[in-house]
């Protein structure tokens, strides 16, 4: 939805619980690079070529086997509910059926009451968990559960109009893209990435309108990715942590485009193309002019900015090693450990600014 220096740090800011990503992250630094232009999926966190190394670690390392069992326990619970009542499982999503059942419903928009958030997030976690289990075990039940969830997600979102506000307008959150980018926008492309092998092998998804099956809505997925990329570029403001907190949605969704040419057209918005409302990595790095610097906001923001940045730099260095981002921006990497040096023996931190107390 996350960790490359320890199996429990960076990615935890994107997805909780962490077990599914810990398992994948164990091999991310040591696994081979994906070739430029290779759109065989999954490819964002791992590639098909990484599977053997992950399975070998599960087989030979107790901690990896334990993480696998935790992941399997969560995914099995979701699959059990899905298999017991496929339609009921999906209808529990916060869909807006107010216009009847003749068309694909959209999601209810979230304003003051955020209860729907705590329905959407677990479903996305289930989709990612099941997607990873299908990647590892190749069992159809995991792929079917993940595909059914994401089929509903992308079809609902593709039919929604984004807010017209450039201050902080979103899709499901009409007035809080900053939050939506982190809890929904960053997770959707990861889940869809793991769904692709199942649907490419002929897997179909449940149709809530007809009660039958249909092809996976690939065009809806591409439209959804485009919407989240556009919002990351066009909404918000520069000069703060906002750009970095939105960047997991920006990068994940642009890496999900079905054309390498299109990916390369949008990738500069993350790397070095400044827009009016989104700072690229090259601008973010200017806040780390010296070794040992930390992001110049309160410690909570400082920690998140470094962790999110390193997470995304790691993904890109694996996909496009010629970028060599770790060598280009070493000061950001060093910043990730600084919060530990600022922590008291009682595990507390100094609080200042608008950081949590």
């Amino acid at each position: 939805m996350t960790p490359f220096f320890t199996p429990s740090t960076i990615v935890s800011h994107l997805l909780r619980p962490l077990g599914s990503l810990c398992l994948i992250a164990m091999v991310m630094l040591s696994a081979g690079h994906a070739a430029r232009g290779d759109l065989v999926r999954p490819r964002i966190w791992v590639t098909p070529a990484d599977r053997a190394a992950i399975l070998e670690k599960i087989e030979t390392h107790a901690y990896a086997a334990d993480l696998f069992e935790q992941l399997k326990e969560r995914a099995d619970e979701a699959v059990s509910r899905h298999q017991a009542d496929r339609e009921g499982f999906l209808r529990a999503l916060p869909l807006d059926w107010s216009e009847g059942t003749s068309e694909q419903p959209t999601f209810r928009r979230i304003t003051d009451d955020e209860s729907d958030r705590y329905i959407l997030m677990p479903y996305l976690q289930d989709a990612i968990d099941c997607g990873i289990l299908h990647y590892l075990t190749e069992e159809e039940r995991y792929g079917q559960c993940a595909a059914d969830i994401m089929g509903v997600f992308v079809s609902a979102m593709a039919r929604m109009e984004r807010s017209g506000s450039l201050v902080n307008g979103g899709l499901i959150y009409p007035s809080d893209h900053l939050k939506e980018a982190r809890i929904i926008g960053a997770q959707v492309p990861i889940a869809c990435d793991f769904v692709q092998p199942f649907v490419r092998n002929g897997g179909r998804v449940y149709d809530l309108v007809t009660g039958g099956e249909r092809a996976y809505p690939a065009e809806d997925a591409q439209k959804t990715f485009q919407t989240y990329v556009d919002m990351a570029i066009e909404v918000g403001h520069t000069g703060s942590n906002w750009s970095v907190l939105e960047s997991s949605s920006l990068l994940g969704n642009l890496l999900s485009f079905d054309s390498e040419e299109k990916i390369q057209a949008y990738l500069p918005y993350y790397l070095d193309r400044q827009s009016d409302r989104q700072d690229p990595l090259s601008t973010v790095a200017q806040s780390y002019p010296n070794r040992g610097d930390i992001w110049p906001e309160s410690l909570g923001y400082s920690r998140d900015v470094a962790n999110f940045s390193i997470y995304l730099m790691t993904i890109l260095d694996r996909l496009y090693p010629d970028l060599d981002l770790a060598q280009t921006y070493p000061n950001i990497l060093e910043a990730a450990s600084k919060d530990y040096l600022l922590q008291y023996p009682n595990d507390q931190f100094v609080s200042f600014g608008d950081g949590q107390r």
Side-chain angles (χ1 to χ4, degrees), residues 106-123:
T106 61
F107 286 124
R108 296 191 294 262
R109 285 182 169 81
I110 301 175
T111 53
D112 295 334
D113 179 3
E114 288 198 82
S115 57
D116 285 346
R117 165 188 178 179
Y118 299 102
I119 302 174
L120 290 168
M121 292 175 65
Y123 269 93

Side-chain angles (χ1 to χ4, degrees), residues 232-308:
I233 295 170
E234 299 169 1
V235 173
H237 62 79
T238 60
S240 75
N241 60 81
W242 277 39
S243 292
V244 179
L245 299 185
E246 294 172 348
S247 60
S248 295
S249 178
L250 170 62
L251 187 62
N253 282 284
L254 75 84
L255 289 175
S256 298
F257 289 146
D258 57 9
S259 155
E260 181 67 29
E261 182 179 7
K262 188 173 182 180
I263 291 172
Q264 291 302 316
Y266 278 91
L267 188 55
Y269 283 106
Y270 175 71
L271 292 172
D272 53 22
R273 183 179 297 168
Q274 183 73 47
S275 71
D276 291 341
R277 296 180 180 273
Q278 179 69 17
D279 289 328
L281 180 63
S282 58
T283 300
V284 170
Q286 294 174 18
S287 292
Y288 301 91
N290 305 299
R291 298 182 68 169
D293 286 345
I294 62 173
W295 181 259
E297 291 187 80
S298 57
L299 291 182
Y301 291 137
S302 177
R303 182 165 53 247
D304 283 350
V305 167
N307 289 347
F308 272 107

Side-chain angles (χ1 to χ4, degrees), residues 34 61 65 86 109 169-170 176 205 220 256 273 276 315 329 342:
H61 293 74
R86 195 174 175 188
R109 285 182 169 81
D176 201 344
V205 299
D220 287 344
S256 298
R273 183 179 297 168
D276 291 341
I315 287 175
Y329 304 114
L342 298 172

Side-chain angles (χ1 to χ4, degrees), residues 1 14-15 44-45 107 120-121 123-125 127-128 146 149-155 157-158 171-172 180-196 216 220-226 228 248-249 252-253 256:
M1 121 115 279
L14 298 182
L15 293 170
I44 299 176
W45 280 354
F107 286 124
L120 290 168
M121 292 175 65
Y123 269 93
L124 284 171
Q125 183 70 59
I128 293 173
I149 293 172
M150 297 318 299
V152 174
F153 257 86
V154 297
S155 289
M157 291 188 292
L171 190 67
I172 298 174
E180 183 172 348
R182 288 176 287 169
I183 68 173
I184 298 174
Q187 277 63 260
V188 165
I190 302 301
C192 289
D193 199 46
F194 279 106
V195 160
Q196 285 304 306
Y216 178 75
D220 287 344
Q222 291 295 311
K223 183 178 179 180
T224 300
F225 303 148
Q226 183 72 65
Y228 276 115
S248 295
S249 178
N253 282 284
S256 298

Side-chain angles (χ1 to χ4, degrees), residues 26-58:
M26 293 185 298
V27 298
M28 284 200 70
L29 289 179
S30 59
H33 297 298
R36 179 181 293 276
D38 178 6
L39 294 184
V40 174
R41 296 189 182 277
R43 75 188 293 253
I44 299 176
W45 280 354
V46 289
T47 70
D50 298 327
R51 180 173 175 270
I54 298 173
L55 292 174
E56 188 273 337
K57 286 200 173 185
I58 294 170

